[in-house]
Structures are given as structure tokens and as C-alpha cells.
Amino acid sequence: MVIKVLILIPPNSPLAPSGKKLFIEHPKLLYFLNKSEGSHCWYYSDSDVLNYSTKLCNKQAAVFKAATRSQMGNLLKVLTCTEFDQGPNFFLDFENAQPTDGEREIWNQVNAVLQDSESILTELQAYKGAGQEIRDAIQNPGDGQLQDRAWSSVCPLVGRLKRFYEFSIRLEKALQSLLESLTYPPYTPTQHLEREQALAKQFAEILHFTLRFDELKMKNPAIQNDFSYYRRTISRNRINNMHLDAENEVNNEMANRMSLFYAEATPMLKTLSDATTKFVSENKTLPIENTTDCLSTMASVCKVMLETPEYKSRFTNDETLLFCMRVMVGVIILYDHVHPVGAFAKTSKIDMKGCIKVLKEQPPNNVEGLLNALRYTTRHLNDESASKQIRTMLQVQ
């Protein structure tokens, strides 16, 4: 079936100087199935016509003929620019996306990492620290029994902290594999995310884990206190030419790396930020825009899903809404760390006002931590280039 689109061109149009009618037939249209609406969508591959259709937005100057009512409606959506104004608009199935054959290899690699993420969070949430034992040992330096008690309490905790740190290294490699899959030509970031939804879901799961890990870490000062005591004890014993068995598990080099990791307020986010920056620097033939556009597209898709009742109603689990909010905030923060100007400038490809508005429409107890993440873990919010209106919305002075 051939579909024709009829556009009435004003006499002064560069597309049709004679003021005649312009027909665009099927060969000049790019077809794909829009799963979110369950109907056929038709998009222009002719850039001149696409550019001109944008100019028609406020002129009501287009007439369309299509084979069916639904096709006509989707053509109208494209030519009246609603897609361009609102950004990418499709449903990313965070609940049910399954890997295709083309995604399977990378998906399996990343899944081997992600399957340990919940146990990491459970261990971190249960982390109580050895604060009392350490205080007793410090207050009674001559009491060998208290010293042994503190050391025996701290060593297994440091082993747990080592496991968290080693997981961050695995997560870094998984993220870089996903970035490679979701940014390389010939597809655009939007096409990648829509075509490779299982990988996009894994990317979202990494961001979701990262925000949850960092939130728990920031609330637990015992982590740094325990590790500081461990390092002081190791150093003191090394001076006294004493070797402790714990050094075999966490040697000095490992302890230095772990110390840098836990010194960060948001260590997992710092890991992802560094991994993304490293990915960009190591892939010099890939424009940085491919990576930042992937992040901004993900943020836009999450925002649209959160503010569109039709999409929200497709989530079967209430937790998915919170997941979607965390992912949106996570990619905003990552974008702000990686992009030279950041997420808050007027030139940003992320609709920050829309994203903040969506968050503020949710129950406060669900989003206050996410709003604080935007306030305190981003890099460019306090830059002169940052929008004053966005700063006001976030209540930043």
C-alpha cells in the first residue's frame, strides 16, 4: 500500500517556489513499528521536508492523506512537531525487556555482574560498624584484650568493604560494555535505546544500584571510621615490624585504592563518572555527543514515562515508578559530570525544569533524597551558566 502525504506549500517556500503542491510518497518515508502505541508510525527521511514541517508548526498549513485513521494521526503528530518539542517519546519496558540474539552476549556479561548487586546492597544496609569496640581500644591503649577485640571486629568488616570496592571495578567494566553497545553508529541514541531495550534496562539497573549504594554509604559514617582504624593499626604494626594476617587479604596497595574510593561522598557515582569519561577519551573516533546524547535521551524517556498516564499505567509494580525516577536522576547526574557544560545550562539537552517538576509531583518521602542528589552530587549546578530558574526550583541559593 502506498501512502501519500500532501503538504500545501506557501508561495514563498524554498521547497516549492512555484507555490504548487508537494507529494511525498512511500519511498521517502522511514517505517518502524511504534510498540508503545501499537500502531504504525511514519517518519520523514527527507531532511528538507522534515525541516520545513517544523516551520509549519504554528501555521496550521498542512493537509494529510493516509490509508488509515491511525496512520494519519501518527503522521499528524510528526508533522506538527510534538515529538521534537518533547524529546524522545517511547515506552522503555523496565519490567519485562528481554535480550534479543544481538544483545545476548553483552547482556550475559553484564548480568553476571548485576546478579550480585542486591546482595551488595543487603550487606551494606546491614553494616553496623565496630564503633564501640574501636572507642574502647582507643580509650584503653594498654589493654591488650580490648585491642584484640577491636581488631577482631574490624577485620571482617574490612573484608566486606573490599568486596564492595571490587564490585565497583566489575561495575565499571559492565558500564563501558553497555556504552559501547548503546552509542556506536549507525544508530542514534534514541534508536539504540528503543531497539536494545534489554541493554537499556541493564544500564538503568546500574544507575539505580549506584544511587541506592551511595545513599546508604552517605548515611553510614562507620564505614570510614572502621577503615581508618584498620589503616592506622596496620601502619603502627608495620613500624613495629609486626605482620598481621589481615594484610594478606588487604595489602597496602589495595588499602590505598580503597581509601580513595571511600573518601568520596558518592563513590559508586564517581566510579561511573570516571568510567564514562574514560570511555569517551579512549574512543577518540566516537564524538562525545554520542555518549552525552545517550544519557540525555535516557533522561527524556524516563521523564516522558513518568508524566504520561498511558505509560505509567503499563507498570505493574509501584516500585517501577521509583526505579524510573532514580534512573532519571542518575543519568542527569552522570550527564552533568561528563558533559563539558553540564545539565543545568540553557544549552543542555535535558529538560531539567520538566524533570524537576515531575519529581516534585511525587510524594515527598519518595523524592527528597533524589532532589538532594541533584542539589549536592552534581558538578555544574553552581556554575554561572546554570539556569537561575532551575536553581530556584531546587531551592539552591
Side-chain angles (χ1 to χ4, degrees):
M1 178 181 356
V2 173
I3 290 182
K4 292 185 178 182
V5 183
L6 171 62
I7 302 179
L8 301 181
I9 307 296
N12 59 350
S13 167
L15 283 177
S18 61
K20 302 297 182 182
K21 298 173 183 178
L22 173 66
F23 284 90
I24 308 161
E25 299 200 5
H26 181 78
K28 286 197 175 184
L29 293 174
L30 176 65
Y31 162 84
F32 74 94
L33 183 64
N34 185 331
K35 296 179 182 177
S36 66
E37 296 186 3
S39 59
H40 296 292
C41 292
W42 302 86
Y43 285 81
Y44 289 101
S45 61
D46 186 310
S47 59
D48 289 332
V49 174
L50 184 61
N51 290 336
Y52 183 68
S53 69
T54 304
K55 297 176 185 177
L56 291 175
C57 283
N58 299 319
K59 297 182 180 179
Q60 303 290 321
V63 177
F64 311 94
K65 290 182 179 179
T68 68
R69 186 182 184 91
S70 64
Q71 288 166 340
M72 179 175 175
N74 284 304
L75 284 166
L76 181 61
K77 180 193 291 185
V78 174
L79 288 178
T80 55
C81 312
T82 56
E83 295 281 350
F84 304 122
D85 291 341
Q86 297 176 3
N89 186 346
F90 60 88
F91 184 77
L92 213 169
D93 194 349
F94 285 140
E95 292 181 338
N96 303 305
Q98 296 297 317
T100 62
D101 290 341
E103 298 171 272
R104 181 76 59 182
E105 182 179 356
I106 297 299
W107 188 90
N108 285 337
Q109 293 174 13
V110 176
N111 188 58
V113 178
L114 285 173
Q115 65 186 5
D116 293 332
S117 62
E118 282 302 318
S119 64
I120 292 288
L121 291 173
T122 299
E123 286 187 48
L124 179 57
Q125 195 160 16
Y127 192 101
K128 300 301 181 185
Q132 187 59 52
E133 291 86 346
I134 291 172
R135 283 191 295 272
D136 291 344
I138 292 174
Q139 291 168 3
N140 301 277
D143 191 326
Q145 187 175 357
L146 289 177
Q147 304 304 315
D148 291 343
R149 181 185 170 205
W151 183 249
S152 297
S153 299
V154 164
C155 283
L157 294 174
V158 170
R160 195 179 302 178
L161 295 179
K162 179 188 177 186
R163 170 169 147 78
F164 299 163
Y165 170 71
E166 289 176 334
F167 184 77
S168 76
I169 297 173
R170 296 171 61 203
L171 201 68
E172 175 183 356
K173 294 177 181 177
L175 178 74
Q176 290 184 327
S177 295
L178 288 174
L179 284 173
E180 185 171 353
S181 297
L182 295 172
T183 59
Y184 263 85
Y187 301 116
T188 66
T190 299
Q191 290 170 328
H192 270 300
L193 293 174
E194 190 168 17
R195 289 167 55 92
E196 298 153 51
Q197 293 219 357
L199 297 186
K201 179 175 180 283
Q202 288 184 320
F203 184 53
E205 288 170 342
I206 288 177
L207 292 164
H208 185 246
F209 165 83
T210 296
L211 262 66
R212 291 173 67 196
F213 182 96
D214 286 347
E215 185 177 345
L216 290 171
K217 186 267 180 184
M218 282 192 287
K219 292 178 180 178
N220 198 337
I223 290 174
Q224 282 182 274
N225 292 338
D226 292 348
F227 196 66
S228 294
Y229 177 80
Y230 174 85
R231 296 203 72 192
R232 289 197 305 270
T233 304
I234 290 289
S235 297
R236 184 170 63 248
N237 288 327
R238 190 176 292 116
I239 291 172
N240 296 329
N241 293 319
M242 295 174 61
H243 179 81
L244 299 174
D245 290 340
E247 286 189 78
N248 295 329
E249 182 174 354
V250 181
N251 59 31
N252 192 52
E253 182 183 354
M254 171 64 77
N256 287 337
R257 294 201 301 268
M258 288 173 60
S259 181
L260 291 173
F261 177 77
Y262 287 110
E264 295 287 340
T266 53
M268 284 293 176
L269 178 63
K270 181 66 163 56
T271 297
L272 296 196
S273 174
D274 288 349
T276 307
T277 303
K278 182 180 178 182
F279 172 79
V280 171
S281 63
E282 289 181 349
N283 293 271
K284 299 186 184 303
T285 60
L286 185 71
I288 186 174
E289 289 78 16
N290 287 42
T291 304
T292 54
D293 284 357
C294 176
L295 301 176
S296 62
T297 300
M298 177 76 90
S300 298
V301 169
C302 289
K303 179 183 79 73
V304 170
M305 290 199 297
L306 287 167
E307 67 188 3
T308 306
E310 177 193 347
Y311 291 158
K312 287 172 66 176
S313 67
R314 295 177 64 176
F315 295 139
T316 59
N317 189 335
D318 290 341
E319 285 296 312
T320 307
L321 289 176
L322 182 56
F323 177 91
C324 200
M325 286 186 276
R326 284 184 182 274
V327 173
M328 181 179 74
V329 170
V331 287
I332 289 171
I333 295 171
L334 194 55
Y335 179 98
D336 192 63
H337 278 250
V338 174
H339 194 278
V341 179
F344 303 98
K346 293 180 180 179
T347 56
S348 170
K349 291 189 177 182
I350 297 178
D351 175 14
M352 285 303 306
K353 295 174 188 175
C355 292
I356 296 169
K357 180 175 179 291
V358 165
L359 290 175
K360 289 194 168 186
E361 289 172 350
Q362 312 302 320
N365 59 319
N366 285 349
V367 298
E368 190 56 34
L370 297 178
L371 290 170
N372 283 336
L374 291 176
R375 292 178 185 121
Y376 306 123
T377 67
T378 47
R379 179 174 291 175
H380 294 282
L381 181 58
N382 294 314
D383 290 359
E384 290 184 6
S385 60
S387 164
K388 292 181 179 179
Q389 187 175 354
I390 292 174
R391 288 167 55 84
T392 300
M393 291 178 73
L394 287 173
Q395 299 173 325
V396 176
Q397 301 300 321

